[in-house]
Amino acid sequence: MSIELRHLRCFLAIAEESSLTRAAARLHLTQPAVSRTLAALEQHLGIRLVDRSTHHLALTSEGLAFRDRAATALAAFDAAVDPAGLRRRPLRLGHAWSAFGPYTTPLLRRWQREHPGTPLELLRVDDRTAGLARGEVDAALLRGTVEAPGLVTEELATEPRVAALPSDHPLAARSRLALGDLVGETVVLNTVSGATTLALWPAAARPAATLTVANTDDWLTAIAAGRGVGVSSASTAALHPYPGVAYRPLPDAPPLPVVLAWRDAFPHPATEALAALAREIVAETGTAP
């Protein structure tokens, strides 16, 4: 047996729907047909991709790794055979939050002016690599350390960190804070796309309580509701003002790197031009405040 695109599409539908029944409905197939396709794929690979032993279908560790590769392969194939893309292939630039901070508008405007033949599409994807590892975008603006196989990264700038507090919190009365001021608080962590972890604090003095969320919107909502405090970059404060949330500088926290990332294999032809323009804009404007 050889792997065909239908096997990849079937597996990705299962991965995204977390259900054989919903995957079958999405693909307009019967559930037995979906089960047979998955079984054939697993037999060919010699690994178990889906754990069927739990009440809710879940991917195995091998399945999680294969999901990213399958998505990248399918995205590359679809882009290759798309007639519109062959004529005018856009450059899809992902981000999880705050895009390129204060450089976002200059980047978009100058790209449109200097590269009119290649549309630049800015896409928010709530994922640690902003959809890059899954093939949803061609390049991504990310923050913090990025550890994903097959990606090339270039640090473009750094951003100071800020604390985010409920506006009526006693600490909000101060003009600036230290990491130690937050140790006794519940810290809200965006574990899907965020760059803040407990490792930001010294091992001997870390917050004991955390609340996990899946995206920036839920992070802001939790803080405004008084469920905890958070740490993010200065661009979050500038681009995401939110009722009930106060931002305060954290001078003792290490700055957060802002990086441009792209896939090492088969990068978009305009990737180097994007990196060069991003570097130029940062050099002209200076480090983000």
Side-chain angles (χ1 to χ4, degrees), residues 20 71 87 96 113 123 166 169 182 221 228 278 288-289:
L20 295 177
R87 291 191 297 268
R113 184 171 66 250
L123 306 171
H169 194 287
L182 307 180
T221 300

Side-chain angles (χ1 to χ4, degrees), residues 180-217:
D181 296 326
L182 307 180
V183 170
E185 306 291 332
T186 296
V187 175
V188 185
L189 300 175
N190 176 357
T191 56
V192 174
S193 59
T196 299
T197 68
L198 290 180
L200 180 63
W201 284 264
R206 289 178 177 170
T210 61
L211 173 68
T212 60
V213 296
N215 55 59
T216 300
D217 296 330

Side-chain angles (χ1 to χ4, degrees), residues 159-173:
E159 295 178 340
R161 301 203 197 220
V162 298
L165 314 148
S167 56
D168 58 354
H169 194 287
L171 291 176

